[in-house]
Amino acid sequence: MLVGLGHVDLVCRDLERSLAFYAAVFEPLGLQAPVLFDGERGEQIRYLRFPQPGSGSIGLRPAQDAQPFELYAPGLHHLALTVESPGDVDAAHRTAVELGGHVLHAPRLWPQYHPRYYATFLLDPDGFRVEVAASRDARVAERPD
């Protein structure tokens, strides 16, 4: 029986830039500092673990060849991260903007997904689409409908 997603590995053109982005945007929300593991090519993979034990992690690996990310090419479409509250969505968005990050969609309700689905969509330094969404159970009464 499946119990969840263990991890997602992203291959980065500029590993240090990507580490700085994920640290700045998500460490305040509980993402832990990198834990190093050896990859199959001898490279170091940096796993950024989620705050709850066993809840997964994001692995960042150095790219062998720099290829641009294409949203609808075979492979990853986007990474969706769930946070506890709409305030956490707003904080991630605010930090990404402060870093000069590219915001695809500012935080707002997405009722087509769920009546209380509150999310923002960003691009990371490699152009990967990252969604940050509040839990469906989060209260968004202070948000306009």
Side-chain angles (χ1 to χ4, degrees):
M1 176 186 296
L2 288 173
V3 296
L5 184 66
H7 63 273
V8 173
D9 282 14
L10 302 176
V11 179
C12 309
R13 284 183 293 233
D14 183 337
L15 185 60
E16 294 306 317
R17 183 175 171 198
S18 292
L19 282 167
F21 172 84
Y22 283 91
V25 175
F26 297 110
E27 276 184 9
L29 301 174
L31 194 66
Q32 297 174 1
V35 177
L36 300 176
F37 287 90
D38 291 330
E40 59 272 3
R41 294 181 292 135
E43 79 279 22
Q44 291 271 292
I45 307 165
R46 276 84 170 161
Y47 282 101
L48 309 167
R49 293 180 174 160
F50 298 141
Q52 298 298 320
S55 63
S57 61
I58 300 170
L60 301 178
R61 299 169 173 249
Q64 222 172 1
D65 295 316
Q67 300 174 20
F69 174 71
E70 293 184 40
L71 184 61
Y72 288 98
L76 179 75
H77 181 272
H78 73 281
L79 174 65
L81 302 173
T82 303
V83 294
E84 287 183 336
S85 71
D88 291 338
V89 173
D90 294 339
H93 171 262
R94 186 172 43 255
T95 303
V97 168
E98 289 168 1
L99 291 171
H102 185 80
V103 176
L104 297 170
H105 302 286
R108 68 177 177 92
L109 286 169
W110 297 82
Q112 65 268 40
Y113 302 139
H114 184 276
R116 295 186 316 255
Y117 199 85
Y118 186 75
T120 186
F121 292 81
L122 317 163
L123 293 182
D124 84 352
D126 284 291
F128 293 125
R129 182 182 286 211
V130 179
E131 173 184 353
V132 183
S135 165
R136 287 185 183 176
D137 296 329
R139 297 195 181 271
V140 292
E142 68 274 16
R143 306 282 176 227
D145 284 344

